[in-house]
Amino acid sequence: MNQSTAVETRPKVSRRKTKLTFVVQKHHTTRLHYDFRVEIGGLLKSWAIPKGPSMKAGEKRLAFLVEDHPLEYGKFYGIIPEGEYGAGLVEIWDKGTYKPTFDDGDPEKSLLKMMEKGDIKLTMNGNRLKGNFALFHLKNKEKDNQWMLVKKPDEFAIDDFNIESVPPLKTKELPQVENIKEGNPPEPFPDPLPSPMLAKLVTGVINNPAWIYEMKLDGYRILCSRKNGQTELVSRRGNTYTAKYGSILEDLDKIEENVILDGEVVVENSRGISDFQLLQNYGTTRKGNLKYYVFDILYLNGHNLMSFPLLKRKELLDFFFKKYDFKRVFKLEFQAGNGKELFKRLSDEGFEGIIAKDPDGVYHPGRRSELWLKIKSTMMQEAVICGFTDPQGGRKYFGSILLGLYENGKLRYIGNCGTGFNDASLRELNEKFSLYITDKSPFPNPPKLSWAKGKPTWLKPELVAKIKFMEWSNEGIMRAPVFMGLREDKNAVEVINETTESVENVRGKKSLQEDSNKEKNKTLTLSGKKVNVTNVTKVFWPAEGYTKGDLIQYYTEVSSYILPYLKDRPQSLNRHPNGIKGPNFYHKDMDVEQIPQWAKTIKLESKTNEDGIDYLICNDTATLIYMANLGCIEINPWHSRYKKPDNPDYVMLDLDPGNISFTDVVNTALVIKEICDETGIQCYCKTSGATGLHIYIPLGAAYDYEQSKTFAEILAGIAHKRLPSTTSIERPVSKRKDKVYIDFLQNRKGQTIAAPYSVRPRPFATVSAPLLWEEVNHQLRPEMFTIKNILQRLEKLGDLWRPVLGKDISVIKALKSIERLSD
């Protein structure tokens, strides 16, 4: 195993000593192997042994000589991040001292002589390896690094040896996360915390032996933040539960590391089953066993672990729980394979179901991902409490609660629930309801409640209930609903019908790949034109499993929204023919003989090409999909149209963060909004889809690029003056690496930037998403918006970017206001 990237400089050679050290590291990378390292000449001479060393006399093991490592590396155990050389888990399988079997009085000199001859005789004194070994060079001209390690017959040799049955050495300290890239500093602690990744509801169990399966818990999803000795418990909505679950803090306060854990707080009944009603009432009754089950780790000591495969995060979590002796905090156990068997057993015992997870999946904050699938044994649904009826008989306070959920941004009535309450919960809920009473029904189409006594009392739709029920009726009404408690950790606008899909649909069918013949190439008819699409099954996002076909499907569905921002604008094609992990290249000058006859191009003058450049013009869905088929993950139009190429439709500021928190990007955007408000300028914000934010101001092509750039520079300068410690307007990276760069130089002819609703070649398939200004807050993260949720957002909010192409501002008037602002 070549780990040369871990060694940037060679340490000074140490002086001679009588006891030399060795280490054997078990390395879980692309292929499991063992790194055999012995100290010679102040360094660790290293061999990679695929099958590992053996204690059986005469058993030979092929060993490959690799680069020397510093002595300090012999102490490393932990995780090398994905994307780095040798990515994977490293464990210490054995360590100890050794000496040359034949010593002429100077051990290291003897070893160097044997090394030179290619025949080393060693006597090992380790925890696992003991006695005499031979390590000799195989004379192979083509592969000069091949050696052979052999256990010699002696009193330590055994008759049979299976290395898989010999576990690594136990360690007391938490493993490290190795950051091998030179000069790559630790990542700052996320502020605010990422939103939890969510599971998709399915019917049926994917019975993949490689997948892992966990018990589905019935509690509150809680992230634990442990930073600089301070513990905070945060819900999905960003609410703090730190004070509420003080008994858990007794465990969590023991943690010495800066870490973010993901798990669920539950209260278990006498049968050991998590019970949501007990959790709801725990604050007053103290009945049941309060526990925090942890199933993921997202950040550790300067390292963001969310890009690590799940199994590697689980391995690190194992180490974490070996270090600490907790009383109320537990690691949620999982099993590999046999998902159907686990689901049946847990369902029979009364548990809610299971979660199935892809072991290679990365962590997608805030996203309901197909990498995590939940299978329920009982019907459960969150519902918005929209009102209540008067009590009947001997009941006090209220009769039934009236329930709804959101469909296409509007509340729909799904039934009433009158069971599951006791005297205490009726009283407590009635007190809460009094804060939300309104005269207006929250339903666009209020239900007819002929069965109710009197008129209903309507509530503002802000409270969320957890409801257990038998089934959905044909009319979409819950049958036999039972109130299980309030979901204080969920926002009412998130409450939709989690319609179940078959597991085959979720894991298999992919838009352009649903045909039974699994065609890779297709001809689509779009805008009345024939568009050939090829290799639609090619994976463009390896971690997520998204394909070229998924990209094409997204752009087909979003075309009516994105095309107004592409119309008549020259396109600069950034092509990724092999997805986000492959090489990319820019393509501006189209070969008019090669492109479809219906594709529109326009020739524009160029300083670099005396014949001019034939730019592609994207005015219809067919051209958009033609671009996507070429591997254009992102769509990058000019700021101006070819009919008025010197006059941009808007001025824009690109907020590009260096090594600084995204919170500072948000703060910068809000300051720019503040400046615009003070001067009467309308401005609009969108995520870049990568790491920054874009702010646009409409110009209506009334000004040229030089005027646009000057105006942007003035705004950038004022914003920088207000935030001098966290922003920069200096273009050289060396002068702004720890700041937010307010880039005003994008306002030049020929410059391009990702269009609204453009996908980006980034993890999660993020999208450049227009925002409401109230969304520009410290909960905002660019990865919240992806090809999997942007269309639902458009259905709910519509096109927020439309005003950017509307009425222009008066730059002259704005400059006068800015001048007064500067006085």
Side-chain angles (χ1 to χ4, degrees), residues 508-516 518-519 522 536-538 547-550:
K509 294 181 181 177
K510 288 286 188 180
S511 304
L512 293 175
Q513 297 165 236
E514 293 180 354
D515 292 345
S516 58
K518 305 294 185 194
E519 289 182 60
K522 295 176 180 291
V536 296
T537 59
K538 181 183 287 187
T547 64
K548 183 180 179 181
D550 291 322

Side-chain angles (χ1 to χ4, degrees), residues 478-489:
M478 289 180 170
R479 286 183 174 147
V482 179
F483 176 78
M484 304 299 291
L486 286 180
R487 295 297 316 223
E488 298 175 354
D489 59 330

Side-chain angles (χ1 to χ4, degrees), residues 79-85 87-88 181 307-309 312 360 362 581:
I79 291 182
I80 299 173
E82 202 72 14
E84 307 294 352
Y85 194 87
K181 283 185 180 177
S307 62
F308 282 33
K312 288 187 171 63
D360 297 321
V362 300
K581 296 293 186 181

Side-chain angles (χ1 to χ4, degrees), residues 214-232:
E214 300 169 345
M215 176 192 302
K216 187 180 184 306
L217 299 168
D218 193 9
Y220 277 167
R221 185 74 173 278
I222 295 290
L223 292 183
C224 167
S225 161
R226 181 71 175 161
K227 179 183 179 183
N228 299 331
Q230 298 296 315
T231 305
E232 186 176 10

Side-chain angles (χ1 to χ4, degrees), residues 7 64 111 139 152 239 383 396 458 482 493 562 610 643 735 750 758 773:
V7 185
F64 298 90
L111 287 164
K139 305 301 181 182
K152 307 298 287 184
N239 297 329
K396 296 180 180 180
W458 298 116
V482 179
V493 295
I562 193 174
E610 61 183 25
K643 295 176 183 178
K735 295 184 179 181
S758 168
W773 272 108

Side-chain angles (χ1 to χ4, degrees), residues 597-664:
Q597 289 185 348
W598 46 258
K600 180 180 178 64
T601 61
I602 189 73
K603 187 180 287 291
L604 294 176
E605 293 180 357
S606 170
K607 295 179 181 179
T608 59
N609 188 337
E610 61 183 25
D611 294 329
I613 292 177
D614 288 302
Y615 283 97
L616 185 67
I617 303 296
C618 182
N619 287 353
D620 54 31
T621 305
T623 306
L624 180 61
I625 300 311
Y626 171 71
M627 293 169 65
N629 187 60
L630 291 177
C632 295
I633 293 175
E634 60 185 8
I635 308 299
N636 300 306
W638 276 29
H639 305 321
S640 56
R641 308 176 198 233
Y642 72 85
K643 295 176 183 178
K644 296 183 72 173
D646 297 312
N647 297 81
D649 285 294
Y650 37 78
V651 62
M652 65 89 57
L653 293 172
D654 180 9
L655 308 185
D656 183 13
N659 182 31
I660 196 168
S661 169
F662 187 74
T663 299
D664 292 299

